[in-house]
Amino acid sequence: MARHRLRYIPKGAPTELDRRIMDMERKGAIVPTRDLIKTPEQIEGIRRAGIVNTGVLDTVEREIHAGMTTLQIDKICREYCGDHGAIPACLGYGGFPMSVCTSINEVVCHGIPKDKDVLREGDIINVDFTTILDGYFADASRMFIIGETTPAKEKLVRVTKECLEIGIKTARPWCDVNDIGRAIEPYAHQHGYGVVRDLTGHGVGLKFHEDPEVCHFAQRKRGMILVPGMVFTIEPMINMGTWKVFIDADDPYGWEVISGDLQPSAQWEHTFVMTEDGPEILTH
Ligand code: MF3
Ligand code: CO
Ligand code: CO
């Protein structure tokens, strides 16, 4: 008879939570490994990183304006982070050269701050920052509209935020992580938008990117169950046109992701801890 190695191994005598997970695994669910369920102490650490991360984005929100460069945004983020005893996770990550991602208009994500990139009236920009504080990671991003933009771009920014909110409402304890994308995709499609498939949300907390993968489109296959204590992001990237993306050939670092038809793209992101009552935002 085939023997199946179980993925979930409790630490010590199984608690009620452990038993529930092992029971679901026996019935065929994809369960997290034990290390993906954070201890209360770890959650507090990630929460503290989240508070600094929110301070970074609040500072950007106060200071962002037409005429400033994305390099200046990088400086604001780096300084705030340093002043609060924290480290920017992006800097040096996979060769990423700066402290924050600044993605303007058709840049979907991972835009690199530059001296030559000046914000202009009507631009939409995503600022994505990840803080490391005492070894704990918190990751969030917001959209900013520079001055006044077109109704179409304004709507893209609003609907993308609604996609994140739909993801939050859909993520319940013990649900399939792929339920999130199953709820987001039809809503984006109602508006004629494309949902980026090549980049996803992710577990976070002890590392920058952990399991599970959090898809924002409708995956057919089942995903991992979301157990209370798991920490993860939801971060839909929504394109005004095609869902397809490519890497900018002009980016010497190979990081910048551009929409396939060069139409605008938007993204909002938070870090959450799953609780018995649903996801709690750690990056408010
Ligand atoms: N913050 C991004 C995310 O949400 C990852 C950026 S990686 C970097 O997962 F290297 F580009 F900074
Ligand atoms: Co991010
Ligand atoms: Co993220």
Side-chain angles (χ1 to χ4, degrees):
M1 200 172 82
R3 291 181 23 153
H4 298 276
R5 194 192 334 206
L6 293 181
R7 170 186 174 89
Y8 190 82
I9 302 159
K11 281 185 195 142
T15 63
E16 207 178 307
L17 187 99
D18 291 328
R19 285 184 201 289
R20 185 156 178 194
I21 296 168
M22 291 188 290
D23 193 47
M24 290 183 82
E25 185 173 19
R26 273 192 297 270
K27 291 177 179 149
I30 301 170
V31 298
T33 51
R34 180 63 187 81
D35 57 304
L36 293 180
I37 301 170
K38 271 59 176 178
T39 66
E41 188 194 349
Q42 289 169 336
I43 292 166
E44 281 320 299
I46 302 164
R47 190 188 301 284
R48 285 194 298 274
I51 291 168
V52 175
N53 206 71
T54 297
V56 170
L57 292 176
D58 285 347
T59 308
V60 171
E61 187 150 359
R62 276 196 304 275
E63 299 195 17
I64 199 163
H65 61 269
M68 99 191 288
T69 69
T70 52
L71 195 66
Q72 285 173 279
I73 296 175
D74 188 80
K75 185 162 183 269
I76 290 168
C77 295
R78 198 166 14 88
E79 284 178 359
Y80 185 99
C81 202
D83 290 348
H84 290 78
I87 299 168
C90 291
L91 188 61
Y93 180 80
F96 192 84
M98 292 290 159
S99 297
V100 61
C101 298
T102 50
S103 306
I104 303 171
N105 299 331
E106 73 279 6
V107 182
V108 173
C109 63
H110 304 160
I112 300 173
K114 293 175 197 74
D115 197 26
K116 70 161 187 54
D117 276 351
V118 181
L119 296 181
R120 286 182 303 223
E121 173 94 10
D123 282 342
I124 60 170
I125 178 175
N126 176 273
V127 178
D128 189 346
F129 194 81
T130 304
T131 297
I132 313 174
L133 183 67
D134 302 329
Y136 297 109
F137 292 69
D139 182 9
S141 79
R142 300 181 194 168
M143 293 301 295
F144 301 106
I145 297 175
I146 306 305
E148 270 190 53
T149 192
T150 62
K153 282 161 100 176
E154 213 172 87
K155 182 181 162 194
L156 176 70
V157 170
R158 175 175 56 78
V159 170
T160 303
K161 193 174 196 182
E162 289 165 1
C163 285
L164 172 55
E165 286 157 4
I166 288 166
I168 297 171
K169 281 209 203 82
T170 305
R172 307 316 299 169
W174 308 101
C175 83
D176 175 340
V177 69
N178 285 344
D179 290 344
I180 293 172
R182 289 180 192 123
I184 290 174
E185 188 179 85
Y187 185 69
H189 284 179
Q190 265 176 47
H191 296 279
Y193 297 153
V195 180
V196 172
R197 305 170 76 97
D198 300 36
L199 299 122
T200 65
H202 50 92
V204 65
L206 308 184
K207 290 187 291 184
F208 199 161
H209 294 106
E210 305 175 7
D211 279 342
E213 194 170 76
V214 180
C215 290
H216 307 106
F217 60 96
Q219 273 279 20
R220 295 161 72 91
K221 64 177 185 227
R222 94 167 119 180
M224 195 181 283
I225 55 169
L226 290 175
V227 174
M230 287 172 72
V231 178
F232 58 97
T233 72
I234 306 176
E235 49 180 298
M237 280 147 274
I238 306 295
N239 293 351
M240 199 179 278
T242 178
W243 60 269
K244 291 186 181 163
V245 300
F246 64 93
I247 301 283
D248 187 353
D250 292 337
D251 170 17
Y253 299 96
W255 266 103
E256 295 197 312
V257 180
I258 315 287
S259 71
D261 52 12
L262 304 182
Q263 289 202 71
S265 180
Q267 180 179 28
W268 291 85
E269 175 178 25
H270 274 307
T271 293
F272 305 89
V273 59
M274 183 55 80
T275 76
E276 298 288 349
D277 306 316
E280 183 194 345
I281 302 178
L282 298 179
T283 45
H284 245 331

